[in-house]
Amino acid sequence: MMISKVAQRMPWRWASRRSQPFCWSSRTIHVHSKYSEFSVPANLQQQPSLLLTKNTRCCPRSLFASRSHSTGPPKPFVELHGYDLSHPECNVTQNIASRVGIDLHRQPQHPLNTIKNIIEEYWKSKSPNFQTFDDFVPVVPTQNNFDSLLIPPDHVSRSISDTYYLTKDTVLRTHTSAHQTTLLQEGYNEFLVTGDVYRRDEIDSSHYPVFHQMEGVKMFTEQELTNAGAMTVEDQRALVEQDLKHGLEGMARTLFGDVEMRWVDEYFPFTDPSFELEIYYNDEWMEVLGCGVVHRDIVKATGRGTQPGWAFGLGLERLAMVLFSIPDIRLFWSTDDRFHKQFESGDIVTFQPYSKYPPCTKDISFWTTDTFHENDLSEVVRDVAGDLVENMELIDTFVHPKTNRTSNCFRIIYRSMDRSLTNEEIDALQEQVRDLAVEKLGVELR
């Protein structure tokens, strides 16, 4: 199978076009917004009661326990699910550690929860045998996240600029597919897995280092194959592909109505053949999800012989931003009543913009290093400013004609939904960004 240049550049996760490749679900959502608003969730400022378990299977997580009502600065996170955050192989920041356990997809009437419920109800209406899981711990073995899904050892998606590592053998899952082989080994034939996933990424209105995915898998029993008269490998594959596409087209109609659809051949390491479903919505073609026939090597490795089946993956934020007309991905983390009261019905409704505060723009210029990656700077900025940062963009690149050194200039836009930011407070944040860029990234400021 030929691999497209996009696939080579952006590996394995279902349906990604921009950040990490071959993603089931892309966070790249083209939304024309008139504003960007957000607020920092109150529960992000709470010290979590971290579970010490390393069980990556079915261990429900508790939400964050409240910290004592101290007026001092929040205490830094020391460990996450029993893993030392100061470990030399760990690149999980304080900002990311604070998001683990919030579980937006499990909060009633939250837009992500609404989309999740609609999809779960759809598949259960087709087959009552579908099992649903939404409380798996996001800390998983590197083996489950990459190797068991046939991700090459040298693939770019494994780099520390793309993935959050607790140790070299343990990561914050980058997709809900990380639980697929475990569930297949445990004998589940039809299941949906929803959860928060983590990827180091750029800063803009459609990208966030934490988002939410849903994975669906269906394996066909011998009885089902016999009833369908699918006795040969070719007949079985045709049956699986037909069932997959028919089911996903029905799901798309449930979400978007009677829309025009098309199937696009794709490449994912864990399915063969692989496809993307696109719909014509709001006068343009939009990628909805990635899917395919579960790769025969994965099936064999889980002890299921040659049993055929299909899998799909999608991003809840991607769908919710389009269906609810939410212009900025940070809004999903808001605790502002003006946001959440709009969705109390549990139905898909159009988001109504409320207040908008002015942005504060700052630039940072520096000589880069051979190992510099934009995602690393994004992590520094997010760890300092949290959700106060709205966008970061490379606006200029210069190569010195004599030394051949490269200089980059990034423009950072800060904005709060709650209030107007002062130049003085943003100057203080920007100074921290500058200091940490030198300390952690080894760049030389200009």
Side-chain angles (χ1 to χ4, degrees), residues 319-428:
L319 300 182
M321 289 182 76
V322 174
L323 290 168
F324 290 90
S325 299
I326 295 174
D328 193 312
I329 196 169
R330 293 172 301 166
L331 280 165
F332 292 114
W333 295 86
S334 172
T335 56
D336 194 311
D337 284 343
R338 292 174 295 178
F339 178 78
H340 287 282
K341 283 186 176 180
Q342 298 189 38
F343 311 110
E344 288 180 335
S345 67
D347 299 323
I348 294 177
V349 296
T350 300
F351 172 67
Q352 300 299 319
Y354 36 101
S355 61
K356 177 182 178 180
Y357 290 89
C360 188
T361 301
K362 301 292 179 181
D363 292 347
I364 179 172
S365 299
F366 50 80
W367 297 106
T368 66
T369 66
D370 292 338
T371 59
F372 173 77
H373 194 289
E374 181 178 341
N375 286 353
D376 299 330
L377 180 61
S378 295
E379 287 301 305
V380 168
V381 175
R382 281 192 171 111
D383 214 30
V384 170
D387 281 356
L388 289 180
V389 58
E390 176 179 278
N391 187 278
M392 187 183 79
E393 180 182 6
L394 177 64
I395 61 172
D396 184 62
T397 299
F398 168 72
V399 179
H400 195 284
K402 293 184 178 180
T403 65
N404 207 35
R405 298 178 71 191
T406 299
S407 171
N408 286 341
C409 179
F410 287 89
R411 177 154 296 164
I412 305 172
I413 299 177
Y414 301 89
R415 191 198 302 263
S416 171
M417 186 180 69
D418 300 324
R419 58 186 175 80
S420 293
L421 300 173
T422 66
N423 202 50
E424 290 74 20
E425 65 180 311
I426 297 304
D427 278 344

Side-chain angles (χ1 to χ4, degrees), residues 280-284 322 325:
Y280 196 71
Y281 193 74
N282 290 338
D283 299 322
E284 64 179 355
V322 174
S325 299

Side-chain angles (χ1 to χ4, degrees), residues 243-282:
D243 185 79
L244 168 66
K245 291 183 176 180
H246 177 75
L248 290 176
E249 288 172 358
M251 185 188 74
R253 291 190 184 93
T254 298
L255 290 167
F256 294 95
D258 190 15
V259 293
E260 184 180 354
M261 305 181 200
R262 68 184 183 189
W263 290 97
V264 179
D265 291 339
E266 237 323 331
Y267 170 80
F268 303 116
F270 29 68
T271 52
D272 181 28
S274 304
F275 313 98
E276 285 179 354
L277 174 61
E278 297 182 351
I279 65 171
Y280 196 71
Y281 193 74
N282 290 338

